[in-house]
Amino acid sequence: MRKLRVKIFLYGASEVIRYAVCRKKRRRIFAAMEFKMNINEIKDQICDICHKMWQLGWVAANDGNVSVRLDDGTFLATPTGVSKSFITPDILVRINDKGEVLEAAEGRRPSSEIKMHLKCYSERPDVGAVLHAHPPTATGYAVANKALDEYTMIESVIAIGSVPVTPYGTPSTDEVPEAIAPYLQEHDVMLLQNHGALTVGADLITAYYRMETLELFAKISLTAHLLGGAQEISRENIDRLCNMRAQYGVTGKHPGYKKYNK
Ligand code: 13P
């Protein structure tokens, strides 16, 4: 207060008010610039992840979609009908929480699976990114309608736990978000029956790592089964591994010890 009085004495009240208004405006301009820079970085990151998904053979043709929640509550999403190898920052679409387009290059519409993505965000305020792909081994389990629910490999026990197969849903319809909703409170990783895989994360890299972990675990599980069957970790050690998530700073949800296959 004393400082303010000194300033008014030295420069006059109108000058002090003008300066304060300018400072507020400057702060707003800097915040907008920072948001813009942030969006550009996120756009680059989405493109990197899309290219990786294609290089890894997790998607063919226009398969797969990616979205990210932005600080202002809007979302960036991949456009529908584009190979993930051809995604560039300028064709990403910005939408609101109803899926309405806020910004898009001419002729671009958000992914046809955007309802599934928005369901993840509305059910899980902790989720900042959603990834959908068809990694072939994990999708093999989705097609065979077999959950990946064996607690056999240390890393996957800690990172994702069991992975359920969510009920069949016709792509792009409300059936898909309805099918995944009951699983979202316990799982960050899901198989979509006869379709593919879905991962969520606090950020895009986390969601991407979960897809990597899922596909590697699916390959290892399949190999173990070809060798005569996987050996489960003891229940006591499974619980110890699950409790290590806090120590490693793992974010998101974990189902604990949960079996889905009959
Ligand atoms: P989009 O091209 O509309 O994102 O659809 C791809 C897909 O994988 C549908 O499940």
Side-chain angles (χ1 to χ4, degrees), residues 59-89:
V59 286
N62 66 303
D63 295 352
N65 22 76
V66 177
S67 69
V68 170
R69 191 194 319 246
L70 301 173
D71 286 348
D72 66 350
T74 64
F75 305 87
L76 281 175
T78 47
T80 185
V82 180
S83 161
K84 299 302 142 326
S85 66
F86 295 142
I87 297 288
T88 48

Side-chain angles (χ1 to χ4, degrees), residues 62-65 80-81 111-113 132 134 195:
N62 66 303
D63 295 352
N65 22 76
T80 185
S111 165
S112 57
E113 295 291 12
H132 165 56
H134 306 160
H195 188 170

Side-chain angles (χ1 to χ4, degrees), residues 35-36 39 70 72 74-77 92-96 100-104:
F35 183 65
K36 194 92 196 137
I39 286 193
L70 301 173
D72 66 350
T74 64
F75 305 87
L76 281 175
L92 296 175
V93 179
R94 185 145 163 240
I95 55 166
N96 65 16
E100 294 160 348
V101 175
L102 304 175
E103 275 174 50

Side-chain angles (χ1 to χ4, degrees), residues 133-148 163-168 190-197 218 261:
H134 306 160
T137 313
T139 303
Y141 279 82
V143 166
N145 197 13
K146 283 197 188 308
L148 273 160
V163 182
V165 184
T166 64
Y168 182 86
M190 279 157 253
L191 296 170
L192 312 175
Q193 194 180 336
N194 299 105
H195 188 170
N261 292 322

Side-chain angles (χ1 to χ4, degrees), residues 5-25:
R5 256 191 244 125
V6 172
K7 274 185 192 162
I8 291 172
F9 176 74
L10 287 174
Y11 308 113
S14 62
E15 189 58 17
V16 170
I17 290 168
R18 199 181 66 80
Y19 181 77
V21 170
C22 283
R23 202 166 58 179
K24 225 172 168 185
K25 260 191 201 158

